[in-house]
Amino acid sequence: EVQLVESGGALVQPGGSLRLSCAASGFTFSDHYMDWVRQAPGKGLEWVGRTRNKANSYTTEYAASVKGRFTISRDDSKNSLYLQMNSLKSEDTAVYFCVRVTLTNYYFDYWGQGTLVTVPS
Amino acid sequence: DIQLTQSPSFLSASVGDRVTITCRASQGISSYLAWSQQKPGKAPKLLIYSASTLQSGVPSRFSGSGSGTQFTLTISSLQPEDFATYFCHQRDSYPITFGQGTRLEIK
């Protein structure tokens, strides 16, 4: 069974930093691209960014709203995905989801339950 | 960025009803669209990808159609477990974007 379990969410002051983790199991993690998606309270979903797999040199993509502040990384030996968030702003307050991307077609097929990051204004 | 506009934003229907939700893209995205279902406090679930391909394990009452800029999700006969929020997302180009969601409630 595919499982994605996020952790690391917290209350952090503006300008602060936080690192989220996602523990993956039930599939060959190293094969898949992995994404982070967030959802602000009462709002829709916003894509944060992507890390490709080793075959694609672990290259990354980011939303403009987080580029230069957030960094996505992965450790295939630990089946783990990370999101390093720096210079946090109140508008970064959201539930952050770890999401698996399908091997072909590149859609989101499995999501974690999410972890809440709160940055007060 | 490609904007996805879903309609309606809210839908009230009864068990057994046939419902259709629309997702309109601000520019052509071929068939690079997916539909997912989200229930409160739960992880979203992929229903349809590539506009019309049913994800493994998803009941056949769900179907998708469309290409270019206009897409639809149809539930042929609503079941109690279908009352949830539905959203589309496109993977044609970065940034990946989502529709704002359609909340389907029991009438």
Side-chain angles (χ1 to χ4, degrees):
Chain A
E1 179 193 5
V2 171
Q3 288 199 342
L4 299 168
V5 180
E6 302 93 339
S7 61
L11 171 68
V12 60
Q13 294 302 310
S17 298
L18 197 64
R19 189 197 198 202
L20 306 183
S21 300
C22 171
S25 61
F27 65 101
T28 305
F29 178 76
S30 59
D31 286 347
H32 288 260
Y33 295 5
M34 296 294 298
D35 286 27
W36 288 98
V37 174
R38 67 184 181 182
Q39 188 169 33
K43 302 293 186 182
L45 295 159
E46 180 187 17
W47 177 76
V48 173
R50 166 168 293 174
T51 174
R52 296 182 179 87
N53 55 16
K54 182 179 181 179
N56 289 279
S57 304
Y58 299 123
T59 53
T60 53
E61 304 285 346
Y62 295 96
S65 59
V66 306
K67 195 168 186 178
R69 299 189 299 124
F70 290 12
T71 302
I72 297 173
S73 61
R74 61 192 294 164
D75 185 337
D76 290 349
S77 69
K78 296 182 178 180
N79 290 340
S80 292
L81 176 71
Y82 305 101
L83 179 65
Q84 177 67 44
M85 303 185 292
N86 298 331
S87 303
L88 282 161
K89 307 174 183 179
S90 58
E91 51 263 43
D92 295 319
T93 293
V95 174
Y96 285 74
F97 295 97
C98 165
V99 189
R100 190 181 87 163
V101 179
T102 58
L103 286 174
T104 56
N105 301 306
Y106 305 108
Y107 294 100
F108 300 142
D109 63 346
Y110 284 94
W111 299 60
Q113 298 282 353
T115 188
L116 176 63
V117 174
T118 303
V119 186
S121 53
Chain B
D1 298 3
I2 296 173
Q3 294 183 18
L4 298 180
T5 304
Q6 283 184 236
S7 60
S9 296
F10 177 83
L11 183 56
S12 181
S14 301
V15 173
D17 283 354
R18 177 184 180 93
V19 299
T20 298
I21 299 168
T22 297
C23 181
R24 182 174 290 108
S26 59
Q27 62 191 74
I29 56 171
S30 186
S31 296
Y32 298 129
L33 186 105
W35 292 96
S36 296
Q37 176 194 69
Q38 185 178 25
K39 296 182 179 180
K42 300 287 188 179
K45 174 185 175 183
L46 179 64
L47 302 174
I48 303 280
Y49 63 91
S50 298
S52 61
T53 303
L54 195 67
Q55 172 71 344
S56 176
V58 174
S60 58
R61 63 180 179 274
F62 292 92
S63 64
S65 66
S67 66
T69 62
Q70 186 100 356
F71 302 85
T72 59
L73 171 70
T74 299
I75 309 172
S76 60
S77 178
L78 276 172
Q79 299 302 300
E81 61 269 27
D82 299 338
F83 292 93
T85 296
Y86 294 84
F87 60 88
C88 54
H89 84 266
Q90 64 83 20
R91 71 96 167 153
D92 176 77
S93 62
Y94 294 107
I96 295 165
T97 50
F98 295 87
Q100 82 277 16
T102 295
R103 187 171 150 202
L104 176 55
E105 291 202 341
I106 300 174
K107 184 183 287 184

